[in-house]
Amino acid sequence: MTVRRLSLALTLVALLVPAAAQAGSIWTPVASGTTDTISSVVYQSPTRFWYATTNGKIEYFNGSSFVAGAGVTPGENFTDLAFQPTSVAGGPGTTGLYGYAVASNGDVWQTSNGGVSWTPVPPPQTPADCSSGSPVAAETELNAVVWSSTSTVYLLGNNSTVQKSTAANTPTPAFSEINKVGTGTCAAQSDTSAQNLTDATFLPANPLDGFLISQDFGSLYATSNGFASGVKKSEMVNNFQGSPRLAQDLANPNRLWAVDHSPGGGGCGELCLQFSTDGGVTDTHATFPNDSNASVGLYDVSSQGGIEVAAGSGGEIFNSTDGTNFYLQPAGGALATENWRAEDAYDAAHAAVGGENGALAITNQANTIPNHAPPPGPPASISGTGSSNGSTVTISVSCASTPCTVTITITTSSPSHTTRAVSATKKKTVTIATGKFTLHHHGKNTLAVHLTKAGKKLLKKHHGRLKAKVLVSTKVGGQLQKVSRTIHIKTAKQHKK
């Protein structure tokens, strides 16, 4: 085992020599050979390493550099990439290296030789929704591709698409829709609501056991029969406009993590990195011991060997050795503020991240955490809840030092026009309330912001989502500090869903 690990590690030497690890960082830059945005990374070993981009590239590592796979249509906006889980050592060309890539336009690509070449899969057909008699057409948007075994693959998309193939390790995978089965109920969700499904995870020991996650507040669905049916669990993120990703501890399957980001890659606060220890029955947000103002605009997360790694915008890379406390571990130099868009790990120590402008980095220290003391706590703690009558929003704020000033802006989204596809509905953001407060009490202050008459009418008419932007200004240690958070708030109607 030691000899094999050493030989595999040495194959990366030529790739890493031009870009040594940055001092003070656990991450080593890697030459990707592209300036495209890397949207997905698969890192199964030092020689089983692939990435896909938003501009039609899928590249594989040949032992010394990354090489573009042949046959891919230029310009494809790839949203996810997945390779056949296998314990067989070796790079592209090894028997059994089937892989799939999916794109934002619904295209599906397959390789049978480890990414050396790619061919398109006939477009999967799917109903528009879960209702009886819903028109069937080619899939128009896919968000994720996930292997549950060496022969079974799931494709996840908007409007509740769940396509499954049990012959994914053959040239004719024959995907079929298993969620929209024409009964009026979405089978994998056991409800009637159309959901944009963004990720899934399955147990290798029992590939029929799995979880799906959706865009809408990270709604989580569990199955024990390969999503012939499913049960809704908790809502894993406090956001409804991103693209949640999901990770599971395979040694302790009840432990789950979900991450998300706001539109454009912005942060959505601590409630966009949440975890569950009971299989999604309940969840709670992570803590950030060495980052007092974490933005948490995260795009990807993994769990391997009891270690979790998550990456996102503004240089944010977090790792955790206990699944609860996540430590900021940014790359160094020019990559310190990189917008990371993908992450993967193959064991507790080894992980990779990819991002904008072809940025790519790896680490063999994913299981280490900083040894310096955490900085002082944040100047304020912010949480929020929606009112039960649709006319008032309450926000709870605790200031570290008083007096402090709190400014709250409440917005909602409403349709400006609608096209045939649910996912193509255009929305505009409207401010429906503002409030400004000066606080003199150190403990929790509950602040009520009343919606305008026009705002209440708009909310009632369109069943819009409420979003509160909270800005707190206070002096700590004689210095002015500010903290802001965007809170996505459920209305009473949403709570009853």
Side-chain angles (χ1 to χ4, degrees), residues 386-388 390 459 464-466 489-496:
S387 67
S388 60
L459 187 64
R465 310 282 190 173
L466 284 178
I489 301 170
K490 289 186 178 181
T491 63
K493 182 179 289 294
Q494 292 161 357
H495 274 292
K496 293 178 182 178

Side-chain angles (χ1 to χ4, degrees), residues 34 65 249 311:
T34 185
S65 63
D249 182 350

Side-chain angles (χ1 to χ4, degrees), residues 85-86 147-150 201-210 248-251 253 304:
T86 174
W147 291 81
S148 66
S149 70
T150 56
T201 182
F202 295 89
L203 277 179
N206 188 352
L208 295 179
D209 288 352
Q248 184 179 27
D249 182 350
L250 302 184
Q304 289 287 348

Side-chain angles (χ1 to χ4, degrees), residues 388-414:
S388 60
N389 58 15
S391 62
T392 303
V393 172
T394 58
I395 307 292
S396 297
V397 177
S398 298
C399 293
S401 180
T402 57
C404 67
T405 302
V406 182
T407 304
I408 301 173
T409 304
I410 310 295
T411 61
T412 190
S413 57
S414 64

Side-chain angles (χ1 to χ4, degrees), residues 233-459:
K233 297 291 187 175
S234 65
E235 294 176 335
M236 291 286 290
V237 296
N238 191 29
N239 192 30
F240 58 88
Q241 295 175 302
S243 184
R245 294 297 192 186
L246 189 63
Q248 184 179 27
D249 182 350
L250 302 184
N252 185 353
N254 283 327
R255 299 208 313 155
L256 300 161
W257 294 264
V259 300
D260 203 5
H261 56 273
S262 293
C268 44
E270 61 190 10
L271 298 183
C272 276
L273 199 174
Q274 299 213 109
F275 65 93
S276 174
T277 59
D278 55 14
V281 177
T282 62
D283 58 78
T284 188
H285 64 79
T287 56
F288 306 93
N290 70 333
D291 189 357
S292 62
N293 195 23
S295 177
V296 194
L298 299 176
Y299 276 71
D300 217 346
V301 62
S302 69
S303 178
Q304 289 287 348
I307 303 299
E308 289 68 52
V309 180
S313 298
E316 286 191 335
I317 308 174
F318 296 102
N319 73 330
S320 176
T321 58
D322 61 10
T324 300
N325 297 290
F326 281 76
Y327 290 83
L328 182 64
Q329 297 262 43
L335 298 183
T337 57
E338 172 64 34
N339 290 323
W340 302 109
R341 296 295 179 252
E343 183 274 333
D344 196 21
Y346 68 80
D347 65 16
H350 296 85
V353 289
E356 294 181 353
N357 302 308
L360 190 64
I362 62 174
T363 184
N364 61 2
Q365 301 177 64
N367 54 354
T368 63
I369 58 176
N371 57 14
H372 58 78
S381 174
I382 304 169
S383 62
T385 58
S387 67
S388 60
N389 58 15
S391 62
T392 303
V393 172
T394 58
I395 307 292
S396 297
V397 177
S398 298
C399 293
S401 180
T402 57
C404 67
T405 302
V406 182
T407 304
I408 301 173
T409 304
I410 310 295
T411 61
T412 190
S413 57
S414 64
S416 56
H417 70 275
T418 305
T419 63
R420 176 179 176 273
V422 174
S423 61
T425 301
K426 304 296 182 181
K427 296 183 179 181
K428 60 181 179 180
T429 300
V430 182
T431 298
I432 59 175
T434 58
K436 189 171 184 178
F437 309 85
T438 300
L439 306 183
H440 299 274
H441 176 56
H442 285 279
K444 181 180 290 187
N445 296 266
T446 300
L447 310 178
V449 181
H450 301 283
L451 307 186
T452 63
K453 184 177 181 180
K456 287 186 285 186
K457 183 177 180 181
L458 180 66
L459 187 64

Side-chain angles (χ1 to χ4, degrees), residues 28 53 251 311 330:
T28 299
T53 78

